[in-house]
Amino acid sequence: MVRVVHAGDFHLDSAFGALTPEQARQRRMESRRTPERLVEWANDHGADLLLLSGDLFDSDSPYGDTAPLLAQALGCFRGQAVIAPGNHDPLTPDGPYARTRWSDNVHIFTEDRMQTITFPDLNCAVHGAAFTAPECPTDSVLPGFRVPQDGLIHIGLLHGDVTTSDSRYRPIRAADIAGSGLDYLALGHVHSCSGVLTAGAVPYAYCGCIEGRGFDELGEKGILTGTVERGKAELSFVPFARRRYEVLNVDVTGRSAENALRAALPDATVRDIYRIIFTGETDERGLDLKSIEEQFAPDFFHLELRDETRIGEDVWARAQEDSLRGLFLRELRTKFDVASSDDERAKISLAARFGLAALDGRDL
């Protein structure tokens, strides 16, 4: 039995473009500490193997100290670390893997074909391959691969795309996983944790990214950890991200946006990055997002607000007035009633707000 930690898709030195420049700088600094935190956790939990499934760097040109910091952290791991470079950080002569000095316990696959690293003390062999360019449109590694019947625990480590269609990022077929005979296949590339799946009798999993980097990577992110033995893999997800991205929809119908938001928020948000989307009905003035942000921003690492509310029926009722305001609202309500999508209705509601503000001589 081998105790493993499966992690990947660190994307060190990501831009974090949706944040302020200072917040983005802080997030890059925090992410550079991720390998150190991971190694401390793995040592504390007695891991034998650290399986790193690629895209550890966001590009093949990271900041000057990023790769040395990764190497320093992995050198402190008490077990063996194995890396399968991905499409963002392919193994190239001028890339960070080739330029960095690695300790003896760090093993990096260097070719776009299956290679094998054997660890006799662990009664284990790890098989894997590297991306050697940013794209790999064919699965050149698993077809025809089969582990030997030698009594060892056999683990696979790849960056790629399990799919039934084409992919630029090493398409991997379930049938090839099933035919490999591996005791576990550790995968990188997909940023959500899959949990342990099976193809035939072979367990495989995506660990997901270790830190979310945008609102397309929501919720808890982390690692998979557990044990692998011959014919059996038992791994579970462990949250590990310093900060989470979350999207929260808040219905303001019948109450103030502030009260609705307070009621909807979980207890602890100060470490996290939130997008709050206000929905429901408001009066013709809409929401004062600047005021709301000033009140609530200290409760978050970063807060983004969006107003997707619509004007209420009490405002539309004024379309019956014998006035310029009534005529304006009647014209818009006719368009509102035949609108084919929520997006179109939202635009009409916004037009009504701006038009009413102009008619009243006030700023929106």
Side-chain angles (χ1 to χ4, degrees):
M1 183 178 70
V2 182
R3 293 182 295 272
V4 306
V5 171
H6 172 196
D9 289 280
F10 297 177
H11 287 275
L12 299 176
D13 292 339
S14 290
F16 295 101
L19 305 179
T20 68
E22 177 56 30
Q23 289 170 337
R25 186 197 66 80
Q26 183 175 340
R27 291 297 292 123
R28 286 191 293 271
M29 293 292 290
E30 290 172 349
S31 68
R32 287 185 200 126
R33 283 213 62 239
T34 296
E36 178 185 347
R37 292 173 50 232
L38 180 63
V39 165
E40 289 174 356
W41 192 96
N43 283 338
D44 289 345
H45 290 78
D48 302 308
L49 272 179
L50 186 53
L51 304 170
L52 300 176
S53 50
D55 282 1
L56 305 186
F57 306 104
D58 195 49
S59 75
D60 60 0
S61 301
Y63 289 96
D65 61 342
T66 302
L69 285 173
L70 173 63
Q72 180 181 350
L74 296 181
C76 294
F77 180 46
R78 299 190 190 115
Q80 302 292 328
V82 188
I83 302 172
N87 58 290
H88 275 262
D89 58 356
L91 197 295
T92 61
D94 298 323
Y97 292 116
R99 297 197 312 263
T100 303
R101 180 185 294 274
W102 303 92
S103 56
D104 291 341
N105 71 320
V106 178
H107 312 271
I108 303 171
F109 293 118
T110 59
E111 298 182 31
D112 188 16
R113 64 179 183 86
M114 289 299 263
Q115 299 173 281
T116 299
I117 303 168
T118 303
F119 301 104
D121 292 348
L122 299 176
N123 194 41
C124 175
V126 179
H127 312 269
F131 268 71
T132 56
E135 295 187 4
C136 180
T138 60
D139 182 7
S140 57
V141 294
L142 274 185
F145 173 80
R146 179 78 184 180
V147 301
Q149 299 299 310
D150 54 9
L152 297 181
I153 299 167
H154 290 279
I155 297 174
L157 180 63
L158 291 172
H159 196 88
D161 193 0
V162 177
T163 180
T164 58
S165 59
D166 295 334
S167 173
R168 295 181 295 165
Y169 306 113
R170 183 178 285 138
I172 298 172
R173 312 304 178 190
D176 292 326
I177 298 176
S180 69
L182 290 163
D183 298 303
Y184 178 62
L185 174 58
L187 292 169
H189 184 61
V190 173
H191 286 191
S192 57
C193 179
S194 67
V196 178
L197 308 172
T198 56
V202 176
Y204 71 96
Y206 285 103
C207 58
C209 58
I210 202 165
E211 289 272 355
R213 297 174 299 142
F215 289 108
D216 56 344
E217 296 173 351
L218 300 177
E220 292 287 6
K221 301 296 179 183
I223 61 177
L224 284 168
T225 185
T227 60
V228 180
E229 52 190 293
R230 291 185 63 192
K232 187 177 181 180
E234 294 184 338
L235 293 94
S236 56
F237 176 77
V238 175
F240 205 77
R242 286 285 301 271
R243 306 185 189 278
R244 297 177 304 175
Y245 282 80
E246 299 286 359
V247 174
L248 183 64
N249 290 283
V250 177
D251 190 335
V252 302
T253 303
R255 53 183 171 170
S256 71
E258 291 83 355
N259 288 340
L261 180 52
R262 289 190 185 96
L265 284 177
D267 291 336
T269 59
V270 71
R271 74 182 180 101
D272 295 327
I273 300 157
Y274 265 71
R275 173 182 290 162
I276 308 294
I277 302 174
F278 292 107
T279 63
E281 295 185 355
T282 61
D283 63 20
E284 63 195 61
R285 293 177 179 269
L287 303 179
D288 185 348
L289 294 184
K290 182 177 180 181
S291 175
I292 297 170
E293 182 177 2
E294 289 174 352
Q295 292 181 58
F296 286 91
D299 296 333
F300 303 86
F301 179 78
H302 178 83
L303 176 62
E304 177 183 308
L305 301 178
R306 292 190 176 183
D307 182 358
E308 295 186 6
T309 60
R310 60 189 183 276
I311 58 175
E313 286 299 320
D314 57 336
V315 178
W316 287 120
R318 299 171 67 181
Q320 304 308 314
E321 294 178 0
D322 186 16
S323 64
L324 183 58
R325 172 193 290 271
L327 176 62
F328 171 70
L329 287 172
R330 285 195 295 275
E331 290 288 332
L332 284 184
R333 184 58 194 250
T334 299
K335 296 178 180 179
F336 186 89
D337 288 341
V338 299
S340 59
S341 67
D342 289 341
D343 184 58
E344 187 176 353
R345 283 185 285 272
K347 291 178 180 178
I348 295 169
S349 287
L350 185 60
R353 284 182 179 148
F354 277 107
L356 291 172
L359 289 168
D360 292 342
R362 58 177 170 81
D363 293 330
L364 187 61

